């Protein structure tokens, strides 16, 4: 069986191009320099037989298939890309085209669920195959939206008066160490905060996470009988953990195993 395992991008400035792809689409090169996206690896290598910019950028186009094209294009806007075609709905899905620093064409694609179902790539949504998600109430949706988007840096979408917190948001202060998920936040009259932690953020470096949240105005909780340090981090008896609240009083935590 023959498989397409990798694509080589020749460049007169491979370091610049490699850094751009890392910033634009994530993933780190392995020890051999390959950056793997899904099942295909991209090798960006220096060559002396190529110009500084590609002469025929439409000849080879890298297509990045994503789950949330709007989030990806918003991230790309933040790093200042040049859009050839802004994100648009073409029927079977969302498409956007840009150029990398060498002028190569790159597409961001999110195929619609209907298209994927029609091609047999995905089962229709149902209670039997929908991914589970958690949710909790708040007493002030605008205040919650501001806190989770501006303080924690999450991408927050709003629909029918409720919020979706996208935990795997690019650039979030508390980016997940693995996996991804979404959390539903909904309004409730006479809301009473739960007496337990409703949302935990695993982090690779709890000290760095706590320092950044304090810089953003977060105050960490202290519980009687729990020997937290000066930062509010409990470092014994389990994973290192520190608790804080959102504007509605819901208890959140950062923890490092």
């Amino acid at each position: 069986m023959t498989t397409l395992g990798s694509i080589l991008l020749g460049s007169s400035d491979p370091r610049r191009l490699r850094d751009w792809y890392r910033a634009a689409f994530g993933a780190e090169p392995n020890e051999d320099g390959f950056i793997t996206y899904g099942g295909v690896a991209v090798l960006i290598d220096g060559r002396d037989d190529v110009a500084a910019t590609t002469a025929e950028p439409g000849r080879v186009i890298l297509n990045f298939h994503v789950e949330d094209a709007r989030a990806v294009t918003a991230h790309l806007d933040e790093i200042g890309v040049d859009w050839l075609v802004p994100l648009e709905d073409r029927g079977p899905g969302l498409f956007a085209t840009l150029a990398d620093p060498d002028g190569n064409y790159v597409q961001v694609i999110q195929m619609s669920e209907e298209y994927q179902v029609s091609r047999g790539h995905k089962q229709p949504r149902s209670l039997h195959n929908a991914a589970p998600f958690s949710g909790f109430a708040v007493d002030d949706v605008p205040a919650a939206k501001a806190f989770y988007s501006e303080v924690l840096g999450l991408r927050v979408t709003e629909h029918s008066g409720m919020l979706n917190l996208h935990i795997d948001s690019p650039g979030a202060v508390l980016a997940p160490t693995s996996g991804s998920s979404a959390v539903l936040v909904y309004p409730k009259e006479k809301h009473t905060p739960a007496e337990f932690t409703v949302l935990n953020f695993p982090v690779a470096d709890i000290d760095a996470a706590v320092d950044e949240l304090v810089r953003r105005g977060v105050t960490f909780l202290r519980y009687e009988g729990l020997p937290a340090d000066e930062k509010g981090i409990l470092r014994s008896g389990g994973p290192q953990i520190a608790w804080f609240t959102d504007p509605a009083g819901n208890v959140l935590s950062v923890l490092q195993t």
Side-chain angles (χ1 to χ4, degrees):
M1 179 180 179
T2 302
T3 61
L4 179 62
S6 63
I7 296 172
L8 187 148
L9 287 181
S11 176
S12 60
D13 192 346
R15 175 174 295 182
R16 178 190 65 166
L17 191 60
R18 189 180 302 115
D19 287 345
W20 185 87
Y21 275 93
R22 291 165 63 192
F25 299 104
E28 292 294 322
N30 64 17
E31 60 184 6
D32 296 317
F34 290 89
I35 308 175
T36 300
Y37 297 105
V40 178
V42 177
L43 176 64
I44 299 170
D45 199 12
R47 295 183 64 91
D48 57 11
D49 59 349
V50 297
T53 57
T54 181
E56 297 182 319
R59 183 176 291 273
V60 176
I61 300 176
L62 297 186
N63 292 325
F64 284 85
H65 290 259
V66 301
E67 294 183 355
D68 190 335
R70 290 184 174 86
V72 172
T73 53
H75 169 66
L76 292 170
D77 281 333
E78 292 177 355
I79 67 173
V81 305
D82 296 321
W83 292 106
L84 302 173
V85 180
L87 189 67
E88 61 181 6
D89 190 340
R90 298 183 186 173
L94 301 174
F95 292 77
T97 308
L98 62 147
D100 71 15
D102 281 13
N104 301 303
Y105 286 174
V106 177
Q107 285 196 128
V108 174
I109 301 172
Q110 179 187 346
M111 304 307 298
S112 69
E113 182 173 336
E114 293 77 14
Y115 177 89
Q116 294 183 64
V117 170
S118 71
R119 297 299 191 274
H121 300 316
K122 187 175 184 179
Q123 293 297 316
R125 287 187 181 271
S126 72
L127 291 178
H128 298 292
N129 59 27
F133 62 92
S134 63
F136 54 83
V138 297
D139 55 359
D140 188 330
V141 170
K145 185 175 184 179
F147 176 78
Y148 285 102
S149 61
E150 297 172 14
V151 177
L152 299 191
L154 301 179
R155 188 174 69 87
V156 179
T157 55
E158 184 172 357
H159 182 68
S160 301
M162 296 184 288
L163 306 177
N164 278 304
L165 312 181
H166 299 269
I167 306 300
D168 57 343
S169 308
V173 176
L174 302 175
T177 53
S178 63
S180 62
S181 60
V183 176
L184 177 69
V185 175
Y186 54 91
K188 181 182 178 183
E189 292 184 8
K190 300 180 180 179
H191 165 72
T192 301
E195 297 181 354
F196 52 84
T197 306
V198 300
L199 191 58
N200 298 290
F201 291 88
V203 295
D205 186 337
I206 192 169
D207 288 275
V210 167
D211 290 346
E212 177 61 20
L213 290 174
V214 169
R215 190 184 70 79
R216 291 173 176 244
V218 171
T219 299
F220 282 84
L221 302 175
R222 293 179 180 275
Y223 293 104
E224 186 176 353
L226 295 180
D229 66 11
E230 68 279 0
K231 290 185 176 183
I233 302 173
L234 180 65
R235 299 186 187 271
S236 61
Q240 299 182 66
I241 186 168
W243 293 273
F244 60 104
T245 63
D246 70 6
N250 296 307
V251 179
L252 317 175
S253 87
V254 288
L255 73 162
Q256 175 185 328
T257 56

